[in-house]
């Protein structure tokens, strides 16, 4: 309460100084307009509001730090503290605190008196307290074991996570390599197909050239055979004429007959050859 009282007195002095500064700096004339008065009051409002707000925030934070110290001391002895927020607005208790503050700060001796900072007394080391300490020790050991096990599990989990990450990275690399290999294989296959098509095209062109040459040879052979046929027919006509002249000569007749027989055989052979070379209709 002394600390809060000193902070409150200091903040009130600051607010008083704000008013004094306004009086000294702005109230130098005898008359002011409404706008000037409103401007001075607005500026004073901003300053006072900032000072009050800062004091309220500081008081709340100070109370939090004070309670934290008390709770920390209670936690060392495993005490469970409970608070009733509704009691903070109890008017009767607030009036008692105000009365206590008045009586406590009446004399200067009490203000300057050095007060000790009481702490929570430790529990007696006997009976229930000893059993409680043993239970606390056992729980602390068990808690340490659980913490150690938790650290081990966390380490294993991190290792598993790293392995999973490495496996995923390796899988992605493998998929990438496989896709590249598939693309290379497809490209190679396409190249082979293109080469095959080019070879077939070349063979087809060679076949066309060979067929054209063969057709040309057949035509030449056909023409030669026709010439041969005409020559034989001419020889046959001459032989028939000679046969008529020498028909009475027996020996000559026989000779002519043999010639005709040979010529007929030659004609048959030439016709066979013509039938083999001429295209059918």
């Amino acid at each position: 309460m002394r600390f809060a009282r000193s902070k409150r007195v200091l903040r009130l002095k600051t607010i008083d100084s704000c008013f004094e500064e306004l009086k000294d700096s702005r109230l130098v004339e005898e008359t002011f307009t409404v706008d000037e008065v409103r401007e001075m009051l607005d500026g004073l409002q901003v300053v006072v509001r900032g000072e009050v707000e800062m004091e309220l925030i500081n008081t709340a934070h100070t109370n939090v730090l004070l309670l934290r110290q008390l709770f920390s001391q209670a936690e060392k002895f495993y005490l469970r503290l409970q608070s009733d927020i509704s009691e903070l607005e109890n008017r009767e208790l607030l009036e008692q605190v105000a009365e206590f503050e008045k009586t406590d700060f009446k004399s200067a001796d009490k203000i300057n008196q050095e007060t000790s900072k009481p702490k929570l007394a430790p529990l007696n080391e006997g009976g229930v307290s000893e059993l409680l300490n043993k239970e606390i020790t056992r729980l602390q050991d068990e808690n340490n074991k659980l913490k150690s096990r938790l650290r081990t599990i966390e380490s294993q989990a991190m290792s598993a996570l790293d392995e999973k990450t490495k496996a995923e990275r390796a899988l992605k690399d493998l998929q990438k390599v496989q896709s590249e290999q598939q693309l290379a294989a497809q490209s190679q296959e396409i190249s082979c197909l293109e080469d095959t098509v080019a070879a077939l095209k070349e063979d087809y062109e060679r076949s066309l050239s060979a067929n054209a040459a063969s057709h040309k040879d057949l035509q030449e052979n056909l023409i030669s055979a026709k010439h041969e046929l005409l020559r034989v027919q001419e020889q046959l006509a001459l032989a028939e004429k000679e046969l008529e002249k020498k028909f009475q000569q027996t020996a000559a007749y026989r000779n002519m007959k043999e010639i005709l027989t040979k010529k007929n055989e030659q004609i048959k052979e030439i016709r066979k050859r013509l039938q083999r070379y001429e295209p059918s209709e």
Side-chain angles (χ1 to χ4, degrees), residues 137-151:
T137 303
R138 186 185 66 81
L139 291 176
Q140 287 179 346
D141 294 339
E142 185 175 356
N143 189 24
N144 293 331
K145 291 180 181 178
L146 291 175
K147 288 181 179 179
S148 177
R149 184 178 178 184
L150 179 61
R151 286 193 295 270

Side-chain angles (χ1 to χ4, degrees), residues 40-228:
M40 287 188 292
L41 292 178
D42 290 340
L44 182 61
Q45 179 186 3
V46 172
V47 175
V48 174
R49 178 184 176 86
E51 292 293 336
V52 174
E53 184 180 8
M54 184 181 299
E55 178 60 22
L56 293 175
I57 293 174
N58 186 48
T59 302
H61 293 175
T62 304
N63 291 332
V64 170
L65 294 177
L66 178 61
L67 291 174
R68 182 176 181 275
Q69 292 179 8
L70 296 177
F71 291 158
S72 298
Q73 294 179 24
E75 189 178 16
K76 291 181 181 179
F77 298 99
Y78 305 96
L79 300 178
R80 294 182 179 179
L81 302 182
Q82 295 181 354
S83 60
D84 188 0
I85 304 299
S86 63
E87 292 294 329
L88 299 178
E89 297 181 355
N90 192 329
R91 300 303 306 174
E92 183 179 357
L93 294 178
L94 291 174
E95 290 176 358
Q96 292 178 5
V97 173
E99 185 65 26
F100 171 76
E101 184 179 4
K102 290 179 181 179
T103 57
D104 191 53
F105 291 98
K106 281 183 179 180
S107 61
D109 294 337
K110 289 186 178 181
I111 295 176
N112 296 326
Q113 184 180 1
E114 193 68 32
T115 59
S116 61
K117 298 179 180 179
K119 296 183 180 180
L120 295 176
L123 298 175
N124 295 327
E125 297 295 331
V128 179
S129 177
E130 185 177 357
L131 295 176
L132 182 60
N133 289 332
K134 290 182 179 179
E135 182 66 16
I136 290 171
T137 303
R138 186 185 66 81
L139 291 176
Q140 287 179 346
D141 294 339
E142 185 175 356
N143 189 24
N144 293 331
K145 291 180 181 178
L146 291 175
K147 288 181 179 179
S148 177
R149 184 178 178 184
L150 179 61
R151 286 193 295 270
T152 304
I153 293 174
E154 288 178 351
S155 178
Q156 293 177 355
M158 292 300 295
S159 300
L161 184 61
D162 293 339
E163 291 179 358
K164 180 182 177 182
T165 305
K166 292 179 180 178
E168 290 178 351
R169 191 181 298 111
L171 180 59
K172 290 181 180 179
D173 294 339
L174 180 60
Q175 290 177 352
K176 184 178 180 181
V177 171
Q178 288 180 350
S179 61
E180 291 178 354
Q181 291 179 352
Q182 289 178 355
L183 289 175
Q186 291 177 357
S187 300
Q188 186 176 2
E189 185 176 358
I190 291 172
S191 179
C192 292
L193 290 175
E194 290 177 351
D195 295 338
T196 303
V197 170
L200 291 174
K201 185 177 181 181
E202 186 178 357
D203 292 339
Y204 178 70
E205 290 177 354
R206 283 201 300 268
S207 298
L208 288 178
S209 300
N211 290 331
S214 176
H215 187 265
K216 186 177 180 180
D217 294 338
L218 290 175
Q219 287 180 348
E220 291 177 355
N221 292 331
L222 180 60
I223 293 171
S224 176
K226 286 182 178 180
H227 292 168
E228 183 69 20

